[in-house]
Amino acid sequence: MAILPIVRLGRSVLREAAQPVDPARLGSPELQTLIDDMIETMYAAPGIGLAAPQIGVPLRIFVIDLSVGRDPHGLLVMINPEFVSRDGMQLEEEGCLSVPGFNATVVRPQRAVVKGLNREGVAVQHEGTDLLARAFQHEMDHLDGTLFVDRLRGIKRDMIVRKIRKLSRSGKW
Ligand code: NI
């Protein structure tokens, strides 16, 4: 397993729609290693979620663990995830490992049900409320090239983008 560098806002891989994983590939050591590396990278950050594009891989895979490794049953690996349903609304502070140092209040569904494959290729479905629903929506967004800053109102988004541009110019991003 390896801790991989996390790609930051500004890199095109974060803006692409990620490609579905061929389920036959889940038997390959390459794909299993990729998943292990995503988990390791998420825990090391530390973070509660990571999508494959964030390590530069444009595939529809995300990992989530709200316990950051403390709960042995806390880890979710989702391959080719899709929403089954979303309802309600919550407003909470949110950040992203690809936009380090910035947080903002983002509107998200209060409850979300996601289905997909686990790392063994078995069909699974998970329901999340509150923080888990937020994490589902955040990671699903990554697979479609959307970042949390895109969900902000213009002024707040412009302020973050301007600060990041400034950091980039001085080589600090
Ligand atoms: Ni993120």
Side-chain angles (χ1 to χ4, degrees):
M1 288 207 271
I3 297 166
L4 303 174
I6 294 174
V7 167
R8 293 184 176 191
L9 186 153
R11 288 271 306 275
S12 61
V13 68
L14 291 177
R15 293 316 201 167
E16 295 164 15
Q19 296 303 305
V21 176
D22 174 358
R25 282 186 64 199
L26 287 173
S28 75
E30 288 78 14
L31 211 68
Q32 291 297 323
T33 301
L34 170 73
I35 294 166
D36 284 338
D37 291 349
M38 286 177 63
I39 296 165
E40 191 81 351
T41 302
M42 171 177 70
Y43 287 158
I48 61 168
L50 188 80
Q54 293 184 273
I55 52 162
V57 178
L59 288 176
R60 303 190 77 81
I61 305 172
F62 69 67
V63 296
I64 287 176
D65 186 347
L66 301 186
S67 82
V68 201
R70 286 189 298 269
D71 174 359
H73 305 293
L75 178 66
L76 287 177
V77 177
M78 290 296 275
I79 322 281
N80 300 341
E82 288 171 47
F83 284 115
V84 176
S85 64
R86 278 174 282 182
D87 43 71
M89 194 189 92
Q90 56 168 315
L91 261 172
E92 295 293 338
E93 279 268 299
E94 186 170 321
C96 177
L97 295 175
S98 293
V99 195
F102 295 93
N103 287 287
T105 303
V106 187
V107 182
R108 296 293 194 186
Q110 197 275 327
R111 175 181 162 275
V113 179
V114 175
K115 67 172 181 177
L117 302 176
N118 67 13
R119 65 185 301 172
E120 284 84 39
V122 177
V124 291
Q125 183 165 308
H126 296 287
E127 177 179 340
T129 55
D130 305 319
L131 184 58
L132 186 54
R134 170 172 297 279
F136 281 153
Q137 181 69 64
H138 181 110
E139 302 311 330
M140 290 290 277
D141 273 356
H142 272 303
L143 303 185
D144 293 323
T146 299
L147 299 172
F148 83 92
V149 293
D150 304 325
R151 302 254 183 212
L152 304 176
R153 280 178 301 120
I155 294 167
K156 180 75 180 171
R157 183 180 56 229
D158 293 349
M159 198 185 74
I160 293 178
V161 168
R162 206 175 325 117
K163 282 182 181 167
I164 290 173
R165 223 175 268 143
K166 209 167 155 192
L167 286 170
S168 300
R169 275 199 301 271
S170 53
K172 289 173 185 152
W173 185 253

